[in-house]
Amino acid sequence: MAKNKYVIESYQGSSMVASVCFAALISLFLVGHDIKHDIWLSLTPMILAGTVLALIFSWVLKNFKGEDLLQLNAKAFGKIGGKIVNWILLLLFLGLTVYHILTPIYMFSSLDMWGTPILVYIIILMIIVYYCTSLGLEVIARMSTIFVFIMIFVVIFDTLVLIPSMHLDRIMPIAEYGWKGVGITGGKFFILQYALLPAALLFLPNLRNSAEAPRTLRIGLMIAGVYFTVAVLRGSLIFGDLVQNEVFPTLQALRRVQLGTDISRVELGGLLALVANKFIFICLALYSVSMLSGCYQDPKKQKKCLALFAGIIGVGVYTLSHFVSGANDQLAMRYFLIAGMLILAIFLLMVILLALRRSIQKKQLK
């Protein structure tokens, strides 16, 4: 019997949650330039806030088993209000996806591949993303599981070979640049890490055992949190004050490693691992956008919607690639953070309304 292309296992769901959060692995200097080597301290408020967010998600998944984000929005905001909220989220998701796609493209530029026009990268990427996404959620889940496993292996290997380049004094003294900056940067990290996490409510209801959804979510968040902590702390230990000047700290750190004459650089492995997970994130984002548009119920209609949104994303990436440079980097990041804040605010408002309705229903039953 053929597999249901929309049913996924619990471990696949955890890997997909981690893949959504891996999208936050962007240039540290864009959010941490004010606190330099103290950037690793900002992980504490981020993880604390992430723990609270995980509890909120767990409550939703436990009390509304099998219901996805569209159904929850309709229940919280009403039928018409839910549709309006879905389209707002769709536009915000599109914007964040466009921004994230630039990262793997610029990563390839670090290998001196700028001879290839950026339009070629965009067209090839969006065709592959469209094809993989059209195969269904189960295929994306399988790829995500493989790539997350590769990410875990790569980060262990990278960390071991980079130990000689790490020095504890490069993250001292603690909070030299002020606790206010640490808190603000922690808030930025929180938004970057979890801005698209509500997308998890679009695929976690598809678990074979919906009762495992809260646990699946927490495991995925733990994987992403550990990876992000290792990556940020490692960058600070290697670069010290200069960490905020590195566009891709992990790749720059790996270029210091020499492994004999045959393999003089190991950054290719780290590059491919990051790009692979960015690819999974893009597939999940495109899948989420198609669901938010309401096209997922009809397979033929869904493929047309996927093609349409893949084209829109491609045009957006090409347009943004000509805008993001120099001072515009910070401007783009500002809009990115605003979009992330709006998504999280809408999600929290939805949870509050659901909690109120549930409380009212319990009182009426009594």
Side-chain angles (χ1 to χ4, degrees):
M1 186 172 68
K3 285 187 176 181
N4 187 329
K5 65 178 186 177
Y6 294 107
V7 175
I8 60 176
E9 303 295 339
S10 296
Y11 68 89
Q12 293 175 329
S14 293
S15 68
M16 293 168 75
V17 170
S19 294
V20 170
C21 294
F22 281 149
L25 293 170
I26 62 168
S27 310
L28 293 179
F29 84 101
L30 288 176
V31 293
H33 59 283
D34 291 331
I35 59 174
K36 299 184 179 180
H37 60 234
D38 283 336
I39 195 170
W40 66 274
L41 287 172
S42 60
L43 296 173
T44 301
M46 183 204 80
I47 291 173
L48 290 175
T51 302
V52 174
L53 189 63
L55 293 174
I56 295 172
F57 266 93
S58 295
W59 180 85
V60 173
L61 292 167
K62 184 178 179 181
N63 288 277
F64 300 92
K65 293 179 183 178
E67 296 188 61
D68 60 31
L69 184 60
L70 283 76
Q71 295 168 316
L72 293 173
N73 281 334
K75 186 172 288 187
F77 300 101
K79 188 175 181 180
I80 297 177
K83 288 184 177 180
I84 293 173
V85 169
N86 290 337
W87 278 96
I88 292 173
L89 289 174
L90 184 151
L91 294 174
L92 294 172
F93 273 42
L94 279 175
L96 297 186
T97 304
V98 165
Y99 187 86
H100 279 305
I101 291 178
L102 280 178
T103 307
I105 291 175
Y106 286 145
M107 282 180 177
F108 273 105
S109 73
S110 67
L111 296 179
D112 298 322
M113 295 178 67
W114 271 124
T116 304
I118 192 172
L119 187 60
V120 174
Y121 286 116
I122 295 171
I123 292 174
I124 293 174
L125 176 63
M126 295 317 302
I127 289 175
I128 298 174
V129 167
Y130 162 75
Y131 173 73
C132 292
T133 307
S134 65
L135 293 177
L137 185 65
E138 196 270 338
V139 172
I140 301 174
R142 274 188 282 149
M143 291 191 298
S144 176
T145 303
I146 294 171
F147 291 148
V148 167
F149 176 80
I150 293 173
M151 285 283 282
I152 294 172
F153 172 79
V154 168
V155 75
I156 293 173
F157 173 77
D158 289 352
T159 302
L160 290 175
V161 299
L162 287 169
I163 286 176
S165 298
M166 299 181 194
H167 298 278
L168 189 62
D169 60 335
R170 289 175 182 164
I171 60 172
M172 300 294 181
I174 292 177
E176 179 183 4
Y177 303 97
W179 289 106
K180 181 180 178 181
V182 168
I184 292 174
T185 301
K188 291 178 181 178
F189 273 166
F190 171 77
I191 295 169
L192 295 174
Q193 182 101 30
Y194 304 119
L196 286 174
L197 194 56
L201 293 174
L202 293 170
F203 58 78
L204 284 181
N206 294 70
L207 291 180
R208 192 174 299 278
N209 184 357
S210 60
E212 295 181 357
R215 180 172 174 269
T216 297
L217 174 86
R218 291 193 293 269
I219 292 174
L221 289 175
M222 182 181 67
I223 293 171
V226 170
Y227 185 93
F228 196 75
T229 300
V230 171
V232 173
L233 185 56
R234 187 175 64 187
S236 298
L237 286 167
I238 292 172
F239 295 107
D241 280 358
L242 297 177
V243 69
Q244 85 281 2
N245 295 328
E246 300 296 338
V247 180
F248 302 114
T250 298
L251 298 183
Q252 296 301 327
L254 290 173
R255 285 177 173 168
R256 298 180 173 211
V257 179
Q258 300 291 325
L259 295 179
T261 56
D262 294 331
I263 307 178
S264 60
R265 303 290 190 209
V266 294
E267 77 251 28
L268 184 59
L271 171 68
L272 293 177
L274 287 172
V275 170
N277 275 276
K278 285 288 186 181
F279 173 77
I280 293 298
F281 164 80
I282 298 166
C283 288
L284 286 172
L286 185 58
Y287 173 82
S288 300
V289 164
S290 72
M291 284 198 69
L292 288 169
S293 68
C295 299
Y296 68 100
Q297 294 175 336
D298 185 341
K300 291 184 179 179
K301 190 177 180 181
Q302 185 186 35
K303 287 192 175 183
K304 291 180 180 179
C305 283
L306 288 173
L308 172 63
F309 288 121
I312 292 173
I313 291 171
V315 172
V317 173
Y318 184 74
T319 303
L320 189 61
S321 68
H322 292 280
F323 172 77
V324 179
S325 61
N328 289 335
D329 279 337
Q330 289 297 327
L331 182 61
M333 177 55 64
R334 189 177 304 167
Y335 284 112
F336 175 59
L337 289 169
I338 291 173
M341 289 173 65
L342 287 174
I343 291 175
L344 291 173
I346 290 172
F347 167 72
L348 292 176
L349 179 59
M350 178 200 75
V351 173
I352 292 171
L353 292 174
L354 288 174
L356 289 173
R357 291 199 174 196
R358 196 169 185 81
S359 177
I360 292 172
Q361 289 174 350
K362 286 183 177 180
K363 289 181 179 179
Q364 289 175 344
L365 290 174
K366 290 179 180 179

